[in-house]
Amino acid sequence: ANPVVGILPLYLVVIGYFADINFAGPVPISLAIILVSIILGAADDVVNKDALSAAAEDVAAYGLSFAGDALGDWSEVSIYIGTIFPVALAAAAGTLMNVISAKKAGDSYPLKETMISDGFGTMIGAFFGTPFGTSVYIGHPAYKRFGAGIGYRLINCVVF
């Protein structure tokens, strides 16, 4: 591992997203950061043909599977609770913040219903093996200003 290669991209993330400095011109900041990361990785021989070939061997389509059998063994949960609990807490806080953001934009959603449906959606996704929890849309006021509606939601479902 060579973490030094990641320092400049990390710095670019901080100035690009948190300092709101546009250093890439018409190119999206995220794309510029990815390109800088690839170039630095190749220059420092972190990314080379052998590493890419080895990584490509792990890429495969696994299809749909039901991960419900994972509920049979709870022996290792205590090892990961230090990760599980903060992630779950952050997801709940994110849902709360998004509901408040939507309310400030003029759309009021019932908090209890939102939290329960968010939790059920996450559990259903977990049964099918996804590591990503569902969440209420972040940035609701901005999407509302752009006139996004059901088409935006459908595109999100297909893409993600």
Side-chain angles (χ1 to χ4, degrees), residues 89-102 111 114-115 118 136:
L89 187 62
T95 298
L96 287 170
M97 289 186 290
N98 293 330
V99 168
I100 292 168
S101 175
L111 183 60
T114 304
M115 295 293 285
D118 201 24
V136 178

PDB file of all heavy atoms in Angstrom, residues 89-102 111 114-115 118 136:
ATOM      1  N   LEU A  89     -26.756   4.657  13.158  1.00  0.00           N
ATOM      2  CA  LEU A  89     -27.089   5.954  13.750  1.00  0.00           C
ATOM      3  C   LEU A  89     -26.953   7.080  12.721  1.00  0.00           C
ATOM      4  O   LEU A  89     -27.812   7.969  12.640  1.00  0.00           O
ATOM      5  CB  LEU A  89     -26.189   6.217  14.960  1.00  0.00           C
ATOM      6  CG  LEU A  89     -26.506   7.446  15.793  1.00  0.00           C
ATOM      7  CD1 LEU A  89     -27.896   7.330  16.402  1.00  0.00           C
ATOM      8  CD2 LEU A  89     -25.465   7.617  16.888  1.00  0.00           C
ATOM      9  N   ALA A  90     -25.898   7.028  11.921  1.00  0.00           N
ATOM     10  CA  ALA A  90     -25.708   8.046  10.879  1.00  0.00           C
ATOM     11  C   ALA A  90     -26.810   7.967   9.831  1.00  0.00           C
ATOM     12  O   ALA A  90     -27.284   8.998   9.339  1.00  0.00           O
ATOM     13  CB  ALA A  90     -24.340   7.868  10.216  1.00  0.00           C
ATOM     14  N   ALA A  91     -27.248   6.752   9.483  1.00  0.00           N
ATOM     15  CA  ALA A  91     -28.342   6.600   8.511  1.00  0.00           C
ATOM     16  C   ALA A  91     -29.638   7.176   9.061  1.00  0.00           C
ATOM     17  O   ALA A  91     -30.374   7.870   8.343  1.00  0.00           O
ATOM     18  CB  ALA A  91     -28.518   5.129   8.150  1.00  0.00           C
ATOM     19  N   ALA A  92     -29.916   6.915  10.337  1.00  0.00           N
ATOM     20  CA  ALA A  92     -31.130   7.466  10.956  1.00  0.00           C
ATOM     21  C   ALA A  92     -31.054   8.992  11.015  1.00  0.00           C
ATOM     22  O   ALA A  92     -32.035   9.685  10.724  1.00  0.00           O
ATOM     23  CB  ALA A  92     -31.324   6.880  12.348  1.00  0.00           C
ATOM     24  N   ALA A  93     -29.891   9.520  11.373  1.00  0.00           N
ATOM     25  CA  ALA A  93     -29.728  10.979  11.422  1.00  0.00           C
ATOM     26  C   ALA A  93     -29.873  11.582  10.031  1.00  0.00           C
ATOM     27  O   ALA A  93     -30.459  12.660   9.867  1.00  0.00           O
ATOM     28  CB  ALA A  93     -28.366  11.331  12.020  1.00  0.00           C
ATOM     29  N   GLY A  94     -29.359  10.883   9.016  1.00  0.00           N
ATOM     30  CA  GLY A  94     -29.501  11.371   7.642  1.00  0.00           C
ATOM     31  C   GLY A  94     -30.953  11.433   7.214  1.00  0.00           C
ATOM     32  O   GLY A  94     -31.383  12.407   6.576  1.00  0.00           O
ATOM     33  N   THR A  95     -31.729  10.424   7.570  1.00  0.00           N
ATOM     34  CA  THR A  95     -33.157  10.434   7.242  1.00  0.00           C
ATOM     35  C   THR A  95     -33.846  11.596   7.946  1.00  0.00           C
ATOM     36  O   THR A  95     -34.647  12.306   7.338  1.00  0.00           O
ATOM     37  CB  THR A  95     -33.814   9.095   7.643  1.00  0.00           C
ATOM     38  OG1 THR A  95     -33.194   8.054   6.894  1.00  0.00           O
ATOM     39  CG2 THR A  95     -35.296   9.100   7.349  1.00  0.00           C
ATOM     40  N   LEU A  96     -33.522  11.803   9.224  1.00  0.00           N
ATOM     41  CA  LEU A  96     -34.115  12.924   9.964  1.00  0.00           C
ATOM     42  C   LEU A  96     -33.784  14.263   9.307  1.00  0.00           C
ATOM     43  O   LEU A  96     -34.658  15.123   9.130  1.00  0.00           O
ATOM     44  CB  LEU A  96     -33.616  12.926  11.407  1.00  0.00           C
ATOM     45  CG  LEU A  96     -34.171  11.858  12.321  1.00  0.00           C
ATOM     46  CD1 LEU A  96     -33.405  11.826  13.637  1.00  0.00           C
ATOM     47  CD2 LEU A  96     -35.641  12.107  12.579  1.00  0.00           C
ATOM     48  N   MET A  97     -32.524  14.442   8.938  1.00  0.00           N
ATOM     49  CA  MET A  97     -32.119  15.707   8.310  1.00  0.00           C
ATOM     50  C   MET A  97     -32.817  15.917   6.969  1.00  0.00           C
ATOM     51  O   MET A  97     -33.201  17.044   6.633  1.00  0.00           O
ATOM     52  CB  MET A  97     -30.603  15.745   8.132  1.00  0.00           C
ATOM     53  CG  MET A  97     -29.855  15.888   9.429  1.00  0.00           C
ATOM     54  SD  MET A  97     -28.079  16.118   9.236  1.00  0.00           S
ATOM     55  CE  MET A  97     -27.582  14.515   8.646  1.00  0.00           C
ATOM     56  N   ASN A  98     -32.985  14.846   6.196  1.00  0.00           N
ATOM     57  CA  ASN A  98     -33.637  14.980   4.898  1.00  0.00           C
ATOM     58  C   ASN A  98     -35.122  15.286   5.035  1.00  0.00           C
ATOM     59  O   ASN A  98     -35.680  16.035   4.227  1.00  0.00           O
ATOM     60  CB  ASN A  98     -33.416  13.720   4.065  1.00  0.00           C
ATOM     61  CG  ASN A  98     -31.968  13.568   3.679  1.00  0.00           C
ATOM     62  OD1 ASN A  98     -31.246  14.542   3.527  1.00  0.00           O
ATOM     63  ND2 ASN A  98     -31.528  12.342   3.531  1.00  0.00           N
ATOM     64  N   VAL A  99     -35.774  14.732   6.058  1.00  0.00           N
ATOM     65  CA  VAL A  99     -37.178  15.041   6.300  1.00  0.00           C
ATOM     66  C   VAL A  99     -37.323  16.511   6.704  1.00  0.00           C
ATOM     67  O   VAL A  99     -38.223  17.218   6.237  1.00  0.00           O
ATOM     68  CB  VAL A  99     -37.774  14.104   7.380  1.00  0.00           C
ATOM     69  CG1 VAL A  99     -39.131  14.593   7.850  1.00  0.00           C
ATOM     70  CG2 VAL A  99     -37.884  12.693   6.838  1.00  0.00           C
ATOM     71  N   ILE A 100     -36.424  16.987   7.543  1.00  0.00           N
ATOM     72  CA  ILE A 100     -36.454  18.399   7.951  1.00  0.00           C
ATOM     73  C   ILE A 100     -36.176  19.301   6.754  1.00  0.00           C
ATOM     74  O   ILE A 100     -36.826  20.335   6.567  1.00  0.00           O
ATOM     75  CB  ILE A 100     -35.440  18.651   9.083  1.00  0.00           C
ATOM     76  CG1 ILE A 100     -35.910  17.936  10.354  1.00  0.00           C
ATOM     77  CG2 ILE A 100     -35.244  20.129   9.329  1.00  0.00           C
ATOM     78  CD1 ILE A 100     -34.877  17.873  11.449  1.00  0.00           C
ATOM     79  N   SER A 101     -35.226  18.907   5.905  1.00  0.00           N
ATOM     80  CA  SER A 101     -34.917  19.684   4.705  1.00  0.00           C
ATOM     81  C   SER A 101     -36.131  19.768   3.777  1.00  0.00           C
ATOM     82  O   SER A 101     -36.432  20.830   3.223  1.00  0.00           O
ATOM     83  CB  SER A 101     -33.737  19.033   3.979  1.00  0.00           C
ATOM     84  OG  SER A 101     -33.468  19.660   2.761  1.00  0.00           O
ATOM     85  N   ALA A 102     -36.840  18.661   3.607  1.00  0.00           N
ATOM     86  CA  ALA A 102     -38.040  18.656   2.761  1.00  0.00           C
ATOM     87  C   ALA A 102     -39.127  19.539   3.367  1.00  0.00           C
ATOM     88  O   ALA A 102     -39.833  20.249   2.647  1.00  0.00           O
ATOM     89  CB  ALA A 102     -38.554  17.231   2.592  1.00  0.00           C
ATOM     90  N   LEU A 111     -42.802  11.813  10.018  1.00  0.00           N
ATOM     91  CA  LEU A 111     -41.492  11.320  10.424  1.00  0.00           C
ATOM     92  C   LEU A 111     -41.516   9.828  10.749  1.00  0.00           C
ATOM     93  O   LEU A 111     -40.636   9.077  10.302  1.00  0.00           O
ATOM     94  CB  LEU A 111     -40.980  12.111  11.627  1.00  0.00           C
ATOM     95  CG  LEU A 111     -39.592  11.738  12.107  1.00  0.00           C
ATOM     96  CD1 LEU A 111     -38.563  11.943  11.009  1.00  0.00           C
ATOM     97  CD2 LEU A 111     -39.231  12.539  13.338  1.00  0.00           C
ATOM     98  N   THR A 114     -41.772   7.763   7.617  1.00  0.00           N
ATOM     99  CA  THR A 114     -40.538   7.863   6.835  1.00  0.00           C
ATOM    100  C   THR A 114     -39.437   6.991   7.437  1.00  0.00           C
ATOM    101  O   THR A 114     -38.746   6.265   6.722  1.00  0.00           O
ATOM    102  CB  THR A 114     -40.066   9.325   6.768  1.00  0.00           C
ATOM    103  OG1 THR A 114     -41.120  10.124   6.241  1.00  0.00           O
ATOM    104  CG2 THR A 114     -38.851   9.474   5.908  1.00  0.00           C
ATOM    105  N   MET A 115     -39.276   7.062   8.756  1.00  0.00           N
ATOM    106  CA  MET A 115     -38.232   6.264   9.412  1.00  0.00           C
ATOM    107  C   MET A 115     -38.502   4.759   9.267  1.00  0.00           C
ATOM    108  O   MET A 115     -37.583   3.982   8.997  1.00  0.00           O
ATOM    109  CB  MET A 115     -38.134   6.636  10.895  1.00  0.00           C
ATOM    110  CG  MET A 115     -37.679   8.057  11.162  1.00  0.00           C
ATOM    111  SD  MET A 115     -35.992   8.389  10.681  1.00  0.00           S
ATOM    112  CE  MET A 115     -35.119   7.563  11.981  1.00  0.00           C
ATOM    113  N   ASP A 118     -37.991   3.681   5.610  1.00  0.00           N
ATOM    114  CA  ASP A 118     -36.562   3.713   5.330  1.00  0.00           C
ATOM    115  C   ASP A 118     -35.879   2.472   5.913  1.00  0.00           C
ATOM    116  O   ASP A 118     -35.057   1.834   5.257  1.00  0.00           O
ATOM    117  CB  ASP A 118     -35.967   4.987   5.925  1.00  0.00           C
ATOM    118  CG  ASP A 118     -34.663   5.385   5.289  1.00  0.00           C
ATOM    119  OD1 ASP A 118     -34.416   5.005   4.138  1.00  0.00           O
ATOM    120  OD2 ASP A 118     -33.889   6.097   5.953  1.00  0.00           O
ATOM    121  N   VAL A 136     -33.925   8.599   2.426  1.00  0.00           N
ATOM    122  CA  VAL A 136     -34.765   9.630   1.832  1.00  0.00           C
ATOM    123  C   VAL A 136     -33.841  10.506   0.992  1.00  0.00           C
ATOM    124  O   VAL A 136     -32.674  10.693   1.325  1.00  0.00           O
ATOM    125  CB  VAL A 136     -35.428  10.458   2.957  1.00  0.00           C
ATOM    126  CG1 VAL A 136     -36.268  11.569   2.394  1.00  0.00           C
ATOM    127  CG2 VAL A 136     -36.254   9.549   3.856  1.00  0.00           C
TER     128      VAL A 136
END
